[in-house]
Amino acid sequence: MLKLLTIIGARPQIIKAAALSRAIKNDFQGQITEVIVHTGQHYDENMSQVFFDELDIPQPNYNLNVGSGTHGKQTAAMIDGIEEILLKEKPSAIVLYGDTNSTLAGAIAASKIHVPVVHIEAGLRSFNKSMPEEINRIMCDHVSTLLFSPTKAGYQNLIKEGFKENNTAPYSIDNPKIYHCGDVMFDNSLHFSEIAEKKSGIIDQLKLTKNDFVLATIHRNNNTDEPERLHAIFSALDKITKQHQIKIVLPLHPRTAKLLSQNLNAELYSSIKTNKQIVITEPVSFLGMIALEKNAQLILTDSGGVQKEAFFFEKPCIILRTETEWTELVDCNAAIVTDANENKIIDTFNYFIKNRPASFPKLFGDGKAAQFICSEIVKHIS
Ligand code: UD1
Ligand code: UDP
């Protein structure tokens, strides 16, 4: 029996892990057992526990409770805790998701003591090393044994960085295997789409009319921490609601919630607070989020996950960043990168309201990426 040690910590990782845990439970019982370690990077009820309650993910076997901190302090505490658990549990491999500090900590802790690393969401690049995520994902990929890229572009990035397509088994940190395998988040969106429609009451709770509101999320560190960027984005949102008489729903990440009053000038802050068309809420559950995405007219976001979910649910997306790792979305004209440029955000909104994207091709696999990943792990990890 293979023992996988899965590291989760930030909200999107908890959601991603649901797909693999589901595949293990349904199709790999007797072949794979999973030990789940929550680093505690995210800890508010609505940033963590809500997903366990709703998505049928096993409760973590360990919680390191590291909480928030500077990159160094947070990552160091995680490395320390993860190493101790690896030495005790002696897993066959560690499974890491995405590009957060929890991912990096898992990669460092495991690779140094020769535990094979399985990286899910490998190969994605923004080519912008001022992002902490870019550093985390590059470091993690380069100590991994099995690298599962959700997109063709991600797979090609790995080849450009020297990974070889023709390595043969047995695989190791020095002889890694790269895959283009589809996206576990596409698996999740298919699995939870109808459940969200049936179970989530969020549209009624927020008094929204289906297809007559816009959804926005903002949490990327440069957008929240640089006052000019935060100002440009919120000023654009304020103007859009007034020009179009349309509601914008904003489930606000705690990072953004904390910085809003500090980084917006008093006039804009007051305008946002009194604007009845801007509906600011606490972070919502994943089913709530899917219900909002499915019923929104358009989505504005700086989130990686939300960009893709906009695409899965065939909604035009305005990307509030200078670049995206999910280049396919832009290549097929389903999303436009506006940066934190107020005029560009407003112009792109006006464009998308009149011109819906022509098509949303199937770019993210067949909805069975998690099963594929499990079957390759069973073949190649001993
Ligand atoms: C992290 C990831 C980012 C990912 C995001 C998903 C890193 C470097 N960044 O960013 O890639 O897109 O998670 O949401 O790993 N906070 C709370 N309660 C919580 C969690 C955070 O109040 O439960 C606040 C704290 O003030 C904290 C701040 O949010 O300092 C930032 O949290 P942190 O986990 O460091 O980074 P994120 O911005 O969430
Ligand atoms: N999400 C959620 N509730 C929210 C906001 C986001 O459940 O209030 C989900 C969203 O549907 C997606 C994931 O969280 O699956 C994205 O996480 P986030 O935007 O925090 O991080 P990123 O994907 O940018 O790393």
Side-chain angles (χ1 to χ4, degrees):
M1 176 87 101
L2 281 180
K3 188 200 265 190
L4 299 182
L5 193 119
T6 297
I7 302 293
I8 54 177
R11 165 171 70 188
Q13 293 168 323
I14 305 171
I15 302 171
K16 285 167 201 167
L20 218 72
S21 295
R22 198 168 56 245
I24 293 171
K25 184 170 150 195
N26 293 340
D27 301 317
F28 292 86
Q29 274 202 26
Q31 293 181 83
I32 300 179
T33 58
E34 199 182 18
V35 174
I36 299 181
V37 178
H38 193 323
T39 61
Q41 177 168 354
H42 287 174
Y43 44 85
D44 289 349
E45 217 277 331
N46 56 22
M47 294 294 285
S48 176
Q49 187 55 42
V50 63
F51 304 108
F52 294 93
D53 297 342
E54 201 178 54
L55 306 183
D56 202 19
I57 312 167
Q59 286 298 323
N61 304 78
Y62 299 90
N63 193 324
L64 300 174
N65 290 311
V66 298
S68 306
T70 62
H71 289 285
K73 279 211 177 105
Q74 189 183 51
T75 312
M78 291 174 189
I79 294 172
D80 191 17
I82 294 170
E83 184 185 61
E84 200 177 315
I85 298 169
L86 286 170
L87 291 170
K88 178 170 160 221
E89 291 284 347
K90 300 187 177 36
S92 322
I94 192 167
V95 177
L96 303 173
Y97 292 94
D99 52 23
T100 71
N101 287 348
S102 299
T103 316
L104 175 64
I108 294 174
S111 59
K112 290 288 184 77
I113 55 173
H114 311 143
V115 174
V117 173
V118 175
H119 188 201
I120 298 177
E121 228 179 62
L124 298 176
R125 298 290 181 264
S126 62
F127 302 100
N128 172 1
K129 289 203 184 90
S130 71
M131 289 179 74
E133 294 85 355
E134 184 76 349
I135 296 179
N136 293 344
R137 50 172 93 101
I138 291 174
M139 310 253 278
C140 181
D141 279 341
H142 285 265
V143 294
S144 292
T145 289
L146 301 183
L147 296 91
F148 293 97
S149 175
T151 60
K152 214 187 244 177
Y155 182 80
Q156 292 302 332
N157 288 336
L158 292 172
I159 293 171
K160 284 183 210 142
E161 284 176 23
F163 287 89
K164 299 199 175 60
E165 283 186 287
N166 51 4
N167 283 353
T168 52
Y171 300 115
S172 68
I173 188 170
D174 289 318
N175 181 43
K177 170 73 178 165
I178 58 172
Y179 300 89
H180 168 209
C181 71
D183 192 334
V184 293
M185 283 309 296
F186 184 54
D187 300 9
N188 271 338
S189 69
L190 293 179
H191 182 81
F192 289 112
S193 172
E194 267 183 43
I195 302 175
E197 209 66 87
K198 281 195 198 121
K199 283 198 177 167
S200 174
I202 196 152
I203 302 290
D204 293 338
Q205 276 157 32
L206 297 179
K207 300 190 175 55
L208 301 171
T209 309
K210 289 185 175 184
N211 293 313
D212 195 21
F213 67 91
V214 169
L215 176 65
T217 77
I218 297 142
H219 77 279
R220 201 56 60 198
N221 66 330
N222 63 340
N223 283 338
T224 58
D225 299 2
E226 292 176 29
E228 316 78 58
R229 293 182 67 88
L230 199 65
H231 192 279
I233 292 170
F234 272 88
S235 181
L237 298 183
D238 197 37
K239 286 185 180 151
I240 286 168
T241 60
K242 288 171 181 158
Q243 280 166 14
H244 290 268
Q245 291 304 311
I246 194 162
K247 276 189 180 162
I248 298 189
V249 180
L250 247 170
L252 218 50
H253 190 290
R255 169 183 207 112
T256 321
K258 283 175 188 160
L259 287 164
L260 214 52
S261 61
Q262 195 178 311
N263 284 348
L264 293 185
N265 69 30
E267 193 190 340
L268 181 59
Y269 184 70
S270 146
S271 182
I272 296 291
K273 285 282 167 184
T274 51
N275 183 343
K276 295 225 160 43
Q277 301 284 77
I278 296 189
V279 183
I280 293 185
T281 71
E282 296 268 305
V284 300
S285 74
F286 185 58
L287 295 186
M289 195 62 186
I290 290 188
L292 289 173
E293 289 165 345
K294 285 184 78 171
N295 290 295
Q297 219 181 93
L298 188 150
I299 296 176
L300 298 102
T301 190
D302 60 11
S303 155
V306 177
Q307 278 173 52
K308 276 181 301 158
E309 285 157 7
F311 186 86
F312 300 156
F313 298 121
E314 307 201 340
K315 305 294 170 171
C317 183
I318 296 178
I319 302 175
L320 304 167
R321 288 187 37 198
T322 43
E323 74 286 302
T324 178
E325 302 78 27
W326 306 99
T327 49
E328 293 83 354
L329 309 182
V330 176
D331 292 344
C332 68
N333 303 316
I336 294 178
V337 173
T338 60
D339 203 355
N341 177 321
E342 181 176 336
N343 289 336
K344 203 161 174 201
I345 296 168
I346 296 172
D347 290 349
T348 307
F349 186 91
N350 293 337
Y351 170 80
F352 267 148
I353 284 292
K354 293 201 197 99
N355 307 280
R356 308 292 293 178
S359 71
F360 294 84
K362 290 269 165 276
L363 295 170
F364 293 90
D366 58 0
K368 295 198 168 104
Q371 277 87 344
F372 175 79
I373 290 169
C374 287
S375 65
E376 290 303 300
I377 290 175
V378 168
K379 267 190 236 161
H380 297 300
I381 299 286
S382 51

